[in-house]
Amino acid sequence: MKLSIHPLARILILVLVVITTAVRSDAQEPTVPRNPEYQKLVELLGDPSFQVRERAHETLAKIGMSARRELAAGLRSPDLEIRSRTRRIYVDLMYEDFEHKLQRFVDDVDGKLEHDLPGWELYKEKIGVSPDERKFFASMVRAEASLLRSMETNKGLAELLQERVKQLQPYGNYTPTGPTIPQVQSIAAVMLGALQLTTAERETLVSPVYNLLNYSKIKSQIIDKPDSDVGKRMTRQWAEIAAKSRNKTLGLMLILNYGFEQAGIKVARDLLTNATSYSTSEQYAAICAARFGGASEVELLLPLLTQKTLVHSWSTPQAGGKLIKTQLRDTALIMLLHLTKQNPKDYGYRFSRPNPVYVYEVYSCGFTEDENRAKSHEKWSIWWKENGKKWLEENSKSKILSDSE
């Protein structure tokens, strides 16, 4: 079983790579003179006295990267204690340097300085450069520096993102206390990288990213944040992208689960206006229209009343052993009843169950008999013929007055 790597561990891996590079570089430049004082301190790291070793360790830590060549030489020492201590000093110094770079980046709110953080140019273009956006990016670098670096070359990026999103799945990473919950910043890094992929490559990420964002303990980290929150904005952006994929339903479900009102209306209008075939995707688009929309969306749903595509089958003891079948037109009708503030029970929806996310449970909007379905739709036709025009005029006026206030 593959375990997700802790963000700090990822940083330390990068540090060790730098250390290895430093050792090789030092070995290739033997003629460059070293600082005798620093060299002596490195030698004292192997002194028989613990106090002497500790003082040398503390002094080298304070000197910092100015002693990097002497420390690099210490990494090749035959003395195990010297190698061990120089490695610890190097790791601490590199980590401090890394954090210093991130803080310098966050503080540069006017963007006057040059920064070599991986993935910044892509993030700047796609997400933004505000103070909050800079802070969020810094936390992304802490979590996924290696992945962000891969985005700069774009080499094998699709495969890397697929592998990383698998590693992030909570149920693939169990600990004695339960599944490991990935950071929002790690998911955000995957979503950012996906923006560089082709449409076909991105398709492979739609389902696993949906699984991550729909996981309750991840969703709770995002859903209650303000709409301006960077992680929430990136989630909304991804949901809109997913709603245009082959698996549109998952994008629409994310929009509904997170309550992205404006995105829901936009996607519903685009999808229902341009529909050439009908499936469960149009069902969830109708739900978006009803939950987030108003009078303007009623006429958007009317064409769906002729669509007999079966979208759900369900059984309950209340149905007396009969199968409750929901056609797309049944979902459209109950959503129209919601928009026009009518009771579904008056239209023969015996099994409908209200739901705060989907307006009604998607499986509960059907009928056991075609005869009852026909009566329900006929009743709507009569109501709409008698009241539709007046209702649209009155509710359109109400919307205009509400907007002007």
Side-chain angles (χ1 to χ4, degrees):
M1 180 179 65
K2 294 183 179 178
L3 299 177
S4 58
I5 303 174
H6 190 277
L8 180 56
R10 288 181 171 275
I11 293 170
L12 295 182
I13 289 170
L14 290 174
V15 167
L16 291 174
V17 170
V18 173
I19 289 174
T20 303
T21 304
V23 171
R24 289 174 180 170
S25 176
D26 179 69
Q28 291 169 1
E29 299 179 9
T31 59
V32 178
R34 300 191 184 101
N35 185 307
E37 181 184 348
Y38 298 165
Q39 212 168 350
K40 179 62 176 176
L41 286 169
V42 171
E43 291 172 4
L44 290 175
L45 293 175
D47 193 271
S49 168
F50 175 76
Q51 287 78 11
V52 171
R53 295 198 303 269
E54 282 292 289
R55 283 197 297 271
H57 190 124
E58 291 173 7
T59 304
L60 283 166
K62 289 177 182 177
I63 293 170
M65 294 307 291
S66 296
R68 61 183 176 276
R69 294 200 65 253
E70 291 73 21
L71 288 168
L75 290 168
R76 294 183 286 108
S77 170
D79 188 307
L80 177 60
E81 182 71 13
I82 293 177
R83 293 201 307 274
S84 175
R85 283 181 176 270
T86 51
R87 186 176 294 109
R88 282 161 49 196
I89 294 169
Y90 227 125
V91 167
D92 289 344
L93 291 176
M94 292 298 291
Y95 182 72
E96 287 176 12
D97 185 60
F98 178 79
E99 283 297 321
H100 176 72
K101 282 184 177 181
L102 288 182
Q103 192 57 52
R104 180 170 171 266
F105 166 79
V106 170
D107 293 341
D108 182 26
V109 292
D110 296 324
K112 294 180 179 179
L113 305 175
E114 292 292 328
H115 302 281
D116 60 351
L117 296 177
W120 170 237
E121 292 302 319
L122 174 65
Y123 181 92
K124 182 168 63 173
E125 176 192 348
K126 302 294 184 182
I127 309 302
V129 297
S130 73
D132 285 342
E133 288 161 345
R134 297 178 85 90
K135 287 179 184 176
F136 190 84
F137 178 72
S139 64
M140 282 175 62
V141 175
R142 288 190 184 95
E144 299 290 338
S146 179
L147 185 61
L148 289 168
R149 184 168 283 106
S150 299
M151 294 176 199
E152 296 184 335
T153 64
N154 213 17
K155 186 177 180 181
L157 183 59
E159 291 76 15
L160 286 171
L161 292 173
Q162 289 168 27
E163 180 61 27
R164 186 63 185 132
V165 82
K166 286 179 185 177
Q167 294 170 348
L168 292 173
Q169 298 300 323
Y171 288 114
N173 295 290
Y174 272 101
T175 67
T177 58
T180 301
I181 310 304
Q183 295 183 76
V184 172
Q185 289 83 354
S186 289
I187 303 171
V190 171
M191 294 190 291
L192 177 67
L195 298 179
Q196 291 202 101
L197 302 181
T198 64
T199 301
E201 289 172 331
R202 201 158 45 230
E203 290 286 346
T204 62
L205 296 173
V206 171
S207 180
V209 172
Y210 168 83
N211 291 336
L212 283 172
L213 293 172
N214 203 44
Y215 186 69
S216 60
K217 291 185 178 179
I218 295 173
K219 186 164 64 175
S220 64
Q221 298 177 54
I222 302 171
I223 195 167
D224 293 327
K225 295 285 182 68
D227 289 344
S228 59
D229 176 77
V230 182
K232 192 169 186 178
R233 279 170 43 208
M234 292 183 72
T235 300
R236 182 171 62 247
Q237 181 186 39
W238 176 262
E240 290 188 50
I241 290 171
K244 296 177 182 178
S245 70
R246 287 199 302 266
N247 205 341
K248 301 178 184 69
T249 300
L250 296 183
L252 290 161
M253 289 175 71
L254 281 178
I255 288 170
L256 287 162
N257 290 339
Y258 277 87
F260 293 140
E261 182 176 330
Q262 292 182 348
I265 294 174
K266 178 179 179 295
V267 169
R269 287 175 179 170
D270 289 346
L271 189 56
L272 296 178
T273 300
N274 301 306
T276 55
S277 60
Y278 297 90
S279 64
T280 54
S281 297
E282 284 65 37
Q283 176 192 26
Y284 284 95
I287 295 170
C288 282
R291 178 180 165 189
F292 302 126
S296 300
E297 279 59 56
V298 167
E299 291 187 283
L300 193 65
L301 297 182
L302 292 176
L304 298 181
L305 294 176
T306 62
Q307 299 303 320
K308 300 180 181 181
T309 304
L310 183 67
V311 290
H312 277 287
S313 294
W314 178 51
S315 181
T316 176
Q318 291 176 278
K322 295 181 179 179
L323 196 62
I324 303 165
K325 296 181 179 180
T326 302
Q327 296 179 0
L328 179 54
R329 59 177 175 162
D330 301 332
T331 300
L333 176 52
I334 201 170
M335 294 302 147
L336 285 165
L337 296 176
H338 172 77
L339 285 169
T340 56
K341 297 180 171 55
Q342 298 187 66
N343 190 343
K345 303 296 182 186
D346 295 339
Y347 282 75
Y349 283 93
R350 293 173 49 208
F351 312 105
S352 61
R353 298 181 177 182
N355 179 287
V357 174
Y358 302 113
V359 186
Y360 292 95
E361 295 287 0
V362 291
Y363 56 80
S364 72
C365 304
F367 300 87
T368 56
E369 305 289 346
D370 286 337
E371 181 182 355
N372 294 334
R373 175 181 288 110
K375 288 179 180 178
S376 176
H377 284 265
E378 178 61 25
K379 183 172 182 177
W380 165 264
S381 295
I382 294 170
W383 184 89
W384 184 250
K385 185 176 181 180
E386 294 176 351
N387 303 284
K389 185 176 180 181
K390 180 181 179 183
W391 186 91
L392 282 173
E393 289 175 353
E394 290 177 351
N395 285 274
S396 295
K397 288 177 183 177
S398 299
K399 180 69 166 58
I400 293 170
L401 289 173
S402 174
D403 290 344
S404 65
E405 291 174 359

